[in-house]
Amino acid sequence: MEFKIVDDPKMSKEEIEYFETHSLADEFREGLADGSTIVSDGPWEETVKAIKERRKRNETRMASFRLPVWIIEGLKRNAAKGDVKYSEYVIETLAKAAV
């Protein structure tokens, strides 16, 4: 694989502001915490093993239980307020409670 290094990279104003105001270290730590970042000191096999372990952690299973209507309506309202899918919001909320 060959990489091209640009002498004078062009970045939009938004990109420059983002990198000036966001800590990549914080994003890295968040990625480690939520499993979206994988670190492996070993060879390729270790990286593949880490990826497979993460996938296994994120395996899903159907769950069915009854909740009071007011809880469901509140979850839907909060998801809509954040402009995210209801199911994703519920999964994230439950994940935080499970830690």
Side-chain angles (χ1 to χ4, degrees):
M1 180 179 284
E2 193 173 311
F3 294 96
K4 179 180 178 184
I5 299 176
V6 179
D7 293 327
D8 186 23
K10 302 289 185 222
M11 294 177 70
S12 69
K13 181 179 177 183
E14 291 80 19
E15 290 171 320
I16 292 169
E17 287 176 2
Y18 179 84
F19 286 112
E20 289 177 344
T21 59
H22 288 79
S23 166
L24 294 180
D26 288 341
E27 290 187 25
F28 183 74
R29 280 190 283 277
E30 289 173 13
L32 289 174
D34 69 18
S36 62
T37 298
I38 295 177
V39 177
S40 174
D41 294 330
W44 177 84
E45 293 85 4
E46 292 298 317
T47 301
V48 170
K49 182 180 174 185
I51 290 169
K52 288 181 178 181
E53 287 172 2
R54 183 190 67 194
R55 284 182 182 162
K56 190 172 183 177
R57 272 196 323 268
N58 291 334
E59 183 180 355
T60 63
R61 183 179 306 160
M62 178 67 181
S64 178
F65 49 91
R66 295 189 175 277
L67 294 172
V69 173
W70 67 269
I71 292 176
I72 295 170
E73 295 301 322
L75 291 167
K76 286 181 179 181
R77 187 174 48 253
N78 289 341
K81 190 184 324 178
D83 196 30
V84 296
K85 293 181 181 178
Y86 166 70
S87 58
E88 290 176 330
Y89 182 79
V90 171
I91 289 168
E92 185 66 23
T93 302
L94 291 172
K96 288 179 181 178
V99 176

